[in-house]
C-alpha cells in the first residue's frame, strides 16, 4: 500500500479539486455491485465515494471480504465520473481490507431499519445515513451555540455536575455516594450517616447549572453553561431523557425584555447557522421525513417541509402573549369548546404541549413567547411581579414542538427570595451562598435554559429524543 499518498476525506474528494491526483481514502463499505463498483463512506458526508475496482488486478481474498460494513483502505487516481450520481470516482490501484464484516452477522444492511431496532444497535447506528446526518447536525448546532455566545461577549462557565442543591426544587435527582449500600453507616437514631459519605453531606447529579451560573454573571456580567444535566423522572415518553444537555445563559443588569430578545436572537442564529452549514444533511433529513409521512393521514403530516419550517422561524417576528391572554385564547378556541383538549385549561394550571402547539400553529401561525406565569407553577428563583400572583417568566414556543426555551428574570431582592424559599420548603441553609449574592451588590439579572436535545429534534425533524443523543439514558436503560 502506497503510504506516500495523502489520505483525503470523502467530503473533499467529491469535488474536482483533486482530480488527476493519486490519493488515499479510508472508509466503510456501503455496497459492492457487479464485482467492480464499491461505495465507501467515511462519515465526513452523507455522500459515498465510488471506487472502481479492477477485478483482474485485485486479489480474490480481498474481493471476498468486500461486504457491507467492512473497513477498507484504497489508493488510486481520482477522476471525473463517467456515470451518473457522482461527480468524481476513484480508479483503484491498491485495495486493502482493514477489518471485515461477516454479512451473516452484521446487522446494519443496506435496507430500511426501524428507529426502534436501531436504538438497540446504538453502537452501530451511526453508520446509517439517518444517524450520520443527525449527529453531524448535532455537532454543527453545538458549534453554532458557542459561536453565538462568544461573538456577543459571553464567557462559558463550567458549573458542577455533582451538586448539593436542587435548582428546580422538584426532588427528582440522582444520588451520588461512595457509601457501601450493603452496609450503610447509621446514626444513633438509625438514619443513614451522610457525614461518612465522600462529601460529608448528601450529593446529587445536577438538574441545572443555573444557580451557579448566576454567581458567575454577578461578577463576569454575562456567562453561559453548556453541559450535561440529569433528572430521575420515571418517564418513558418520546420527549424525556434521564441524561441530557442544557444551554443556560445568565446576564446581569438585564430584565425579562432583555431575556426574551436574547432567546429570540439565539434561536434565529443557530437555525440560520444549521441551514447554511448542514445543507446537505438537512436536505436528506427533509426527504426522509416526507417519505416517512407518506403512509400517515393528512392531519398527521407536516404542512411544510423541514427546511421551510426552520426558515419560517428565522423570518418571523415572535408574538408576545401573557399567560393570562393565552388562557383566554385557549378557552375561546374550538378545541376547548369541543372538548378536544386532553388536559384542563384554567388559570393557574401549566400549559401542556397540546395547548402550546395550538397557540403557535393554529392561532398565531408562528413562534410565540408566553410571559408572566402564575407563581405557583414556576420555580422559587423567578422574580415576583407587582400583581402578587405572577412571576417574570417566559417560554419560547415554536410550531411543531411547543416549548423550546424557558427562562425568567431572577429574584434579586433578598427579602422576597427568602419568602419564596419558605413557600417552596427550601431550607435557607441549603442555598445560603445563593441568598448571600443578594446581600452584596445585588442587581437585576435574568437567563434561560434551552434543552439541547430538544433543539436537535426540532432542527432534524426527528420525533423521538432518544434518536438525537448518541447513547440515550432512560428508565431501565443504561446500555452502551
Amino acid at each position: 500500500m502506497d503510504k506516500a499518498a495523502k489520505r483525503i476525506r470523502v467530503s473533499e474528494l467529491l469535488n474536482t479539486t483533486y482530480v488527476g491526483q493519486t490519493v488515499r481514502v479510508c472508509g466503510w463499505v456501503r455496497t459492492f455491485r457487479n464485482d467492480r463498483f464499491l461505495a465507501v463512506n467515511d462519515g465526513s458526508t452523507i455522500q459515498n465515494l465510488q471506487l472502481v475496482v479492477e477485478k483482474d488486478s485485485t486479489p480474490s481474498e480481498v474481493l471476498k471480504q468486500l461486504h457491507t460494513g467492512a473497513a477498507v483502505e484504497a489508493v488510486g487516481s481520482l477522476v471525473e465520473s463517467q456515470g451518473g450520481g457522482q461527480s468524481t470516482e476513484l480508479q483503484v490501484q491498491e485495495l486493502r481490507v482493514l477489518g471485515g464484516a461477516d454479512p451473516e452477522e452484521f446487522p446494519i444492511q443496506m435496507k430500511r431499519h426501524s428507529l426502534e431496532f436501531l436504538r438497540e444497535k446504538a453502537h452501530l447506528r451511526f453508520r446509517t445515513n439517518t444517524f450520520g446526518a443527525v449527529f453531524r447536525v448535532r455537532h454543527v448546532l453545538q458549534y453554532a451555540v458557542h459561536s453565538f455566545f462568544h461573538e456577543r461577549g459571553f464567557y462559558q462557565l463550567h458549573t458542577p455536575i455533582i451538586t448539593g442543591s436542587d435548582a428546580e426544587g422538584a426532588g427528582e435527582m440522582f444520588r451520588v455516594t461512595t457509601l457501601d449500600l450493603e452496609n450503610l453507616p447509621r446514626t444513633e437514631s438509625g438514619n443513614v450517616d451522610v457525614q461518612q459519605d465522600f462529601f460529608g453531606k448528601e450529593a446529587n447529579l445536577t438538574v441545572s447549572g443555573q444557580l451557579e451560573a448566576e454567581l458567575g454573571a454577578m461578577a463576569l456580567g454575562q456567562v453561559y453553561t453548556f453541559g450535561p444535566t440529569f433528572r430521575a423522572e420515571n418517564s418513558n415518553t418520546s420527549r424525556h431523557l434521564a441524561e441530557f444537555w442544557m444551554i443556560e445563559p445568565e446576564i446581569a443588569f438585564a430584565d425579562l425584555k432583555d431575556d426574551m430578545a436574547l432567546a429570540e436572537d439565539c434561536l434565529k442564529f443557530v437555525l440560520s447557522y444549521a441551514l447554511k452549514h448542514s445543507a446537505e444533511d438537512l436536505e436528506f433529513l427533509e426527504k426522509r421525513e416526507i417519505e416517512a409521512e407518506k403512509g400517515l393521514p393528512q392531519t398527521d403530516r407536516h404542512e411544510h417541509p423541514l427546511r421551510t419550517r426552520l426558515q419560517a422561524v428565522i423570518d418571523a417576528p415572535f408574538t408576545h402573549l401573557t399567560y393570562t391572554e393565552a388562557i383566554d385564547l385557549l378557552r375561546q378556541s374550538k378545541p376547548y369548546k369541543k372538548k378536544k383538549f386532553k388536559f384542563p385549561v384554567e388559570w393557574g394550571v401549566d400549559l401542556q404541549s397540546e395547548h402550546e402547539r395550538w397557540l403557535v400553529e393554529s392561532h398565531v401561525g408562528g413562534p410565540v413567547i408566553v410571559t408572566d406565569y402564575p407563581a405557583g407553577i414556576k420555580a422559587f428563583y423567578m422574580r415576583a411581579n407587582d400583581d402578587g400572583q405572577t412571576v417574570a417568566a417566559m417560554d419560547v414556543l415554536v410550531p411543531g414542538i411547543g416549548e423550546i426555551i424557558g427562562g425568567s428574570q431572577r429574584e434579586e431582592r433578598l427579602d422576597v427570595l427568602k419568602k419564596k424559599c419558605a413557600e417552596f420548603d427550601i431550607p435557607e441553609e441549603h442555598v445560603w451562598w445563593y441568598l448571600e449574592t443578594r446581600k452584596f451588590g445585588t442587581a437585576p439579572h435574568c437567563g434561560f435554559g434551552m434543552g439541547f436535545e430538544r433543539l436537535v429534534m426540532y432542527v432534524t425533524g426527528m420525533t423521538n429524543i432518544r434518536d438525537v443523543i448518541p447513547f440515550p439514558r432512560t428508565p431501565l436503560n443504561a446500555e452502551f
Side-chain angles (χ1 to χ4, degrees):
M1 184 63 69
D2 181 7
K3 293 295 184 181
K6 182 181 179 183
R7 185 202 158 200
I8 310 294
R9 301 179 79 200
V10 169
S11 57
E12 298 178 61
L13 294 177
L14 291 175
N15 60 54
T16 56
T17 304
Y18 292 91
V19 165
Q21 295 186 31
T22 298
V23 299
R24 184 163 57 96
V25 65
C26 297
W28 293 271
V29 175
R30 288 294 177 87
T31 61
F32 184 39
R33 57 188 176 85
N34 300 334
D35 289 338
R36 190 157 185 250
F37 300 106
L38 192 67
V40 170
N41 188 286
D42 66 356
S44 62
T45 170
I46 201 165
Q47 304 296 330
N48 302 324
L49 177 68
Q50 178 165 284
L51 278 59
V52 181
V53 180
E54 293 300 333
K55 186 177 179 180
D56 294 340
S57 60
T58 305
S60 59
E61 62 268 21
V62 172
L63 292 172
K64 289 177 181 177
Q65 297 181 70
L66 296 178
H67 301 295
T68 300
V72 297
E73 179 182 26
V75 172
S77 176
L78 193 72
V79 299
E80 292 189 22
S81 179
Q82 301 303 307
Q86 64 277 326
S87 57
T88 59
E89 60 189 22
L90 190 74
Q91 297 285 349
V92 176
Q93 297 161 1
E94 297 179 80
L95 181 65
R96 184 160 68 108
V97 175
L98 302 174
D102 188 334
E104 300 298 321
E105 294 186 20
F106 186 60
I108 312 296
Q109 295 297 324
M110 288 301 291
K111 63 179 183 178
R112 183 178 294 276
H113 295 285
S114 71
L115 297 178
E116 291 80 5
F117 170 80
L118 290 172
R119 280 179 216 130
E120 297 173 2
K121 310 293 180 185
H123 57 306
L124 296 170
R125 66 177 180 169
F126 303 104
R127 299 197 196 181
T128 65
N129 284 336
T130 295
F131 286 97
V134 166
F135 290 111
R136 281 188 295 269
V137 172
R138 182 182 170 108
H139 164 78
V140 167
L141 287 170
Q142 176 177 288
Y143 190 85
V145 168
H146 287 301
S147 298
F148 173 82
F149 288 113
H150 178 73
E151 290 175 10
R152 283 154 183 77
F154 281 73
Y155 302 107
Q156 185 181 9
L157 202 66
H158 293 146
T159 53
I161 292 174
I162 299 174
T163 179
S165 64
D166 183 356
E168 301 297 324
E172 297 167 335
M173 303 182 77
F174 287 101
R175 179 77 179 271
V176 175
T177 182
T178 58
L179 294 178
D180 182 357
L181 299 184
E182 300 297 328
N183 186 27
L184 290 171
R186 301 281 179 178
T187 63
E188 290 183 1
S189 60
N191 296 322
V192 175
D193 187 358
V194 295
Q195 291 186 353
Q196 293 192 43
D197 209 342
F198 186 89
F199 295 106
K201 59 182 288 188
E202 185 173 330
N204 306 285
L205 295 179
T206 186
V207 297
S208 169
Q210 179 206 311
L211 302 189
E212 292 86 356
E214 285 188 51
L215 313 185
M218 296 307 288
L220 297 172
Q222 47 190 34
V223 302
Y224 74 102
T225 76
F226 193 154
T229 50
F230 309 84
R231 188 159 297 169
E233 183 178 1
N234 190 15
S235 177
N236 264 309
T237 76
S238 62
R239 295 158 63 92
H240 288 88
L241 290 167
E243 176 184 285
F244 52 98
W245 289 68
M246 286 289 291
I247 301 151
E248 297 175 293
E250 291 291 328
I251 40 179
F253 312 112
D255 59 17
L256 190 64
K257 289 183 179 179
D258 301 309
D259 205 27
M260 292 188 287
L262 182 69
E264 181 174 343
D265 288 348
C266 180
L267 189 56
K268 290 185 174 186
F269 180 94
V270 296
L271 295 185
S272 298
Y273 195 95
L275 283 174
K276 180 179 179 181
H277 295 277
S278 293
E280 188 178 63
D281 286 321
L282 290 178
E283 179 183 7
F284 168 81
L285 291 167
E286 180 179 286
K287 290 177 180 177
R288 178 200 166 276
E289 181 184 79
I290 292 170
E291 188 66 27
E293 291 183 349
K294 279 184 178 179
L296 299 178
Q298 193 66 41
T299 52
D300 293 338
R301 301 181 194 179
H302 285 95
E303 185 178 356
H304 301 291
L306 176 62
R307 289 173 295 173
T308 301
R309 300 198 303 269
L310 299 179
Q311 189 63 52
V313 172
I314 296 166
D315 296 338
F318 283 28
T319 299
H320 291 210
L321 293 172
T322 66
Y323 167 87
T324 301
E325 290 170 337
I327 290 293
D328 289 342
L329 288 168
L330 286 162
R331 290 177 70 88
Q332 295 168 20
S333 69
K334 287 183 180 179
Y336 177 80
K337 292 177 180 178
K338 293 183 177 181
K339 299 183 179 180
K340 293 290 182 69
F341 286 134
K342 180 180 177 181
F343 294 95
V345 179
E346 54 188 68
W347 203 96
V349 174
D350 206 359
L351 299 179
Q352 299 296 320
S353 179
E354 60 178 352
H355 308 140
E356 295 169 344
R357 292 190 61 177
W358 180 85
L359 286 168
V360 294
E361 294 167 21
S362 299
H363 179 69
V364 173
V368 174
I369 302 181
V370 179
T371 63
D372 304 306
Y373 283 80
I377 61 173
K378 289 296 183 181
F380 80 100
Y381 50 73
M382 297 188 178
R383 194 181 198 279
N385 287 330
D386 294 339
D387 60 15
Q389 293 183 301
T390 62
V391 289
M394 65 93 180
D395 285 344
V396 179
L397 317 178
V398 292
I401 196 169
E403 181 192 342
I404 197 166
I405 293 173
S408 71
Q409 185 172 339
R410 315 313 190 188
E411 184 55 76
E412 85 281 9
R413 299 164 295 186
L414 180 61
D415 57 336
V416 179
L417 190 56
K418 283 187 171 185
K419 289 179 183 177
K420 295 289 285 289
C421 286
E423 291 170 7
F424 281 78
D425 294 321
I426 299 173
E428 289 187 19
E429 59 268 24
H430 288 187
V431 289
W432 65 268
W433 44 271
Y434 187 70
L435 294 171
E436 201 162 89
T437 58
R438 274 65 176 174
K439 291 172 61 178
F440 308 125
T442 190
H445 60 290
C446 59
F448 64 76
M450 175 162 58
F452 186 54
E453 282 72 31
R454 188 73 65 88
L455 173 66
V456 180
M457 278 181 71
Y458 186 61
V459 173
T460 60
M462 301 300 284
T463 56
N464 194 310
I465 201 165
R466 294 171 176 86
D467 296 328
V468 297
I469 191 168
F471 304 103
R473 297 290 180 253
T474 53
L476 303 180
N477 177 38
E479 198 65 63
F480 308 107

